[in-house]
Amino acid sequence: MINYCSSYHMSSMPRILSRCHFTAGNIKLLNTTGKPRPNFKEYQRRFFMTHTYVELLSKNIHSGTDLIKPYLRTCLTGTTQDDSLKNEEFAVSFIGTGGGSPGRHRNSSCTALRLGGQTYLFDAGEGTQRQLAHTRILPLSINKIFITQMHGDHVFGLVPLILKIQSAAKAQLDESLAARRRGRGRRVLDRLPLLEIYGPPGLYNFINMSIALSCSKINYLDMHIIELVGGRNGLGPTALSRKKSVFLQRYPEIDTPGIRRVFLEANEDQVWIIDKPATVNRDMLKKGEDGFNRLPNDVNLGKNRRLIIKAAELDHLGGVQTFGYTVEEQTPPRNIDAKKATALGLKPSKKYSLLKMGESVPTDDGTGVVEPEQVLLEELRARKLAVLSDHRRVPPPMAGLCRNADLLVHEATLTKEDGVDKIKIRGHNTAENAGIFGGEMGCEVVALNHFVSAAVSEDAIETLLAEARRGNRNRSQIISSYDFMEVWIPRGGFNFYNLPLNSSKDKGK
């Protein structure tokens, strides 16, 4: 059981708490007045100014969520958890799950992918910096930020977050210099931390204009702003008028030293390849005098680890270019049965890297040969996260990227009662369509996200979950996200339906 409290009024008045009971798929809101429970060990809690009291309960799990429950936890700092769930190597943290402006119970859009040593952020709505301060995510671990669109609830927290990351970088540099002056021999940083920000055209001008007019500077970061150009709505809402587009225009007056602007074109399939590491091969191992290096797809590489990152357009509103993103790891190296390898005459050494590459190696005494299939354990599937921002339709290029994702983060702004016309007018989608899309794409887990401010009560959330499950037809685990919830994806990904490796996951048909 995980319990934590996230708000109180700093006054002499009795504390008024909105108590939310969160299960894997449900939120129940109860208004209570009184002091927190005294047993601190039993009820771990944190106090924030968001009027929300959260409890993740171990009972009352709704049908369709029992399989995902062991992988749900909180990303709040200072909370105790089961040791088996402390792995931070592929964890998706929900920092803000609301749509539009921040509400009493949900902050504006922000989702984090923690990779053990580095963090990717998707959107940075208003209040993101403050939300992150309550989590285990350190500012300097954030090295990539992906912006889905230029609407305010997705970017108004971006510039303050950038300045917070810079402040952390400066503090690290000052600490390093002070340690060196004290004669402790600590090495001074030889380069500034690199922060890469990806998003639609206009992102560069938005960041630079904000920094210039707020009299701020970028002195302790090496920032690259990569704008994804060439899309359907790349010129913004003024593209069809005679007005000059401000999105791709250059304004020398606001250029900021330390910030580099880069344009990234889509390929012929209308997919933007943000990062695609080279395929692992034997030559990668033979570097350096010792003859071997760690495999580039090693999950323990920290900030040096690279993943396959792609983007494609979503259909949100006319003139508002909107992207969805997928992050997929390289096929992880297979583990070795050390006991079996030792019995065959090969003790743990750097030769294991060659075995993982499918290469035969000589035994330690040189009298025999160990074949990979003699000692390699079962192959693991690469994990994939798909994040879909506001949209009324998912075009084929983006749909293809989402196929077989372990976790699909999909908006649920509207309900079925809103109807098709409202989907077209508002540019948002329903929970039912989230379930349908997740099932058709073979996604193991669908996390409903981007809720309206009214979607707090048990009835409201249960309505959305029921709609999503009806559309999904039991082909995915359906959950509702909430602020500070975290989903951990284990090595090898989710396989709730006992499907073979590289299966199409065409469940329910």
Side-chain angles (χ1 to χ4, degrees), residues 175-193:
E175 181 184 352
S176 178
L177 291 171
R180 186 168 184 178
R181 285 194 296 268
R182 290 193 297 267
R184 296 184 180 180
R186 189 169 180 177
R187 184 173 64 88
V188 178
L189 298 176
D190 55 359
R191 59 178 300 178
L192 297 177

Side-chain angles (χ1 to χ4, degrees), residues 36 51 102 127 166 311 323 361 363 431 467:
H51 304 280
Q166 174 175 248
F323 289 99
V361 298
T363 57
E467 291 181 3

Side-chain angles (χ1 to χ4, degrees), residues 188-312:
V188 178
L189 298 176
D190 55 359
R191 59 178 300 178
L192 297 177
L194 174 63
L195 177 62
E196 297 177 330
I197 306 177
Y198 298 83
L203 184 60
Y204 177 86
N205 286 339
F206 169 76
I207 292 175
N208 276 270
M209 184 67 76
S210 300
I211 289 174
L213 294 183
S214 63
C215 302
S216 303
K217 295 180 180 180
I218 300 298
N219 296 330
Y220 298 93
L221 283 178
D222 181 15
M223 276 182 57
H224 294 180
I225 300 176
I226 301 94
E227 295 175 311
L228 311 183
V229 298
R232 186 170 60 90
N233 289 313
L235 297 180
T238 61
L240 299 180
S241 68
R242 294 183 178 181
K243 295 181 180 179
K244 189 175 183 180
S245 174
V246 299
F247 288 81
L248 291 173
Q249 189 69 22
R250 180 174 177 245
Y251 301 94
E253 300 87 349
I254 64 171
D255 283 346
T256 303
I259 300 181
R260 178 186 174 194
R261 188 179 199 179
V262 180
F263 294 128
L264 180 63
E265 296 276 356
N267 64 16
E268 59 184 12
D269 298 324
Q270 283 300 293
V271 172
W272 283 260
I273 308 298
I274 294 174
D275 197 2
K276 188 176 181 180
T279 303
V280 178
N281 56 53
R282 184 188 178 102
D283 292 337
M284 292 181 178
L285 301 176
K286 293 197 170 183
K287 295 180 180 180
E289 295 181 358
D290 59 357
F292 298 98
N293 273 339
R294 296 179 71 173
L295 291 172
N297 59 347
D298 191 327
V299 297
N300 297 312
L301 280 179
K303 284 197 171 185
N304 294 323
R305 184 184 179 196
R306 294 174 59 194
L307 293 93
I308 302 168
I309 308 172
K310 298 179 181 180

Side-chain angles (χ1 to χ4, degrees), residues 227-444:
E227 295 175 311
L228 311 183
V229 298
R232 186 170 60 90
N233 289 313
L235 297 180
T238 61
L240 299 180
S241 68
R242 294 183 178 181
K243 295 181 180 179
K244 189 175 183 180
S245 174
V246 299
F247 288 81
L248 291 173
Q249 189 69 22
R250 180 174 177 245
Y251 301 94
E253 300 87 349
I254 64 171
D255 283 346
T256 303
I259 300 181
R260 178 186 174 194
R261 188 179 199 179
V262 180
F263 294 128
L264 180 63
E265 296 276 356
N267 64 16
E268 59 184 12
D269 298 324
Q270 283 300 293
V271 172
W272 283 260
I273 308 298
I274 294 174
D275 197 2
K276 188 176 181 180
T279 303
V280 178
N281 56 53
R282 184 188 178 102
D283 292 337
M284 292 181 178
L285 301 176
K286 293 197 170 183
K287 295 180 180 180
E289 295 181 358
D290 59 357
F292 298 98
N293 273 339
R294 296 179 71 173
L295 291 172
N297 59 347
D298 191 327
V299 297
N300 297 312
L301 280 179
K303 284 197 171 185
N304 294 323
R305 184 184 179 196
R306 294 174 59 194
L307 293 93
I308 302 168
I309 308 172
K310 298 179 181 180
E313 283 187 293
L314 293 167
D315 181 10
H316 179 28
L317 290 171
V320 181
Q321 190 172 32
T322 306
F323 289 99
Y325 295 93
T326 61
V327 180
E328 183 177 8
E329 65 181 353
Q330 298 183 73
T331 302
R334 294 168 64 179
N335 292 326
I336 290 178
D337 188 329
K339 290 184 178 180
K340 187 178 292 186
T342 301
L344 293 173
L346 187 64
K347 294 181 180 180
S349 67
K350 293 181 179 180
K351 291 181 181 180
Y352 279 22
S353 294
L354 287 173
L355 286 170
K356 292 180 179 181
M357 287 294 304
E359 300 284 345
S360 303
V361 298
T363 57
D364 292 337
D365 59 10
T367 60
V369 175
V370 177
E371 299 292 338
E373 294 306 319
Q374 292 180 278
V375 296
L376 288 180
L377 298 176
E378 183 180 358
E379 185 176 354
L380 298 176
R381 183 173 57 84
R383 292 167 287 191
K384 182 194 286 189
L385 166 68
V387 179
L388 299 187
S389 179
D390 307 0
H391 67 277
R392 55 192 173 191
R393 185 179 65 90
V394 183
M398 187 68 240
L401 295 182
C402 294
R403 188 170 297 278
N404 297 343
D406 290 283
L407 176 62
L408 169 68
V409 181
H410 192 292
E411 75 150 309
T413 308
L414 305 177
T415 65
K416 188 176 181 179
E417 292 183 355
D418 291 319
V420 176
D421 289 341
K422 206 163 188 179
I423 293 176
K424 294 179 179 179
I425 294 172
R426 293 190 57 186
H428 287 284
N429 225 310
T430 65
E432 181 184 40
N433 284 340
I436 293 172
F437 181 78
E440 291 177 346
M441 293 300 105
C443 301
E444 290 282 343

Side-chain angles (χ1 to χ4, degrees), residues 133-144:
H134 302 308
T135 71
R136 294 190 294 273
I137 299 174
L138 299 176
L140 278 182
S141 74
I142 302 171
N143 56 355
K144 286 183 173 62

Side-chain angles (χ1 to χ4, degrees), residues 94-111 123 125-126 131 152-154 389-390 411-413 428 448-456 481-484:
F94 293 93
I95 310 303
T97 58
S101 60
R104 294 180 63 199
H105 306 285
R106 298 183 185 274
N107 202 67
S108 295
S109 295
C110 182
T111 303
D123 287 332
E126 179 183 349
Q131 293 282 98
D153 58 325
H154 297 261
S389 179
D390 307 0
E411 75 150 309
T413 308
H428 287 284
L448 304 183
N449 193 33
H450 201 270
F451 297 100
V452 296
S453 57
V456 176
S481 64
Y482 57 88
D483 289 15
F484 305 124

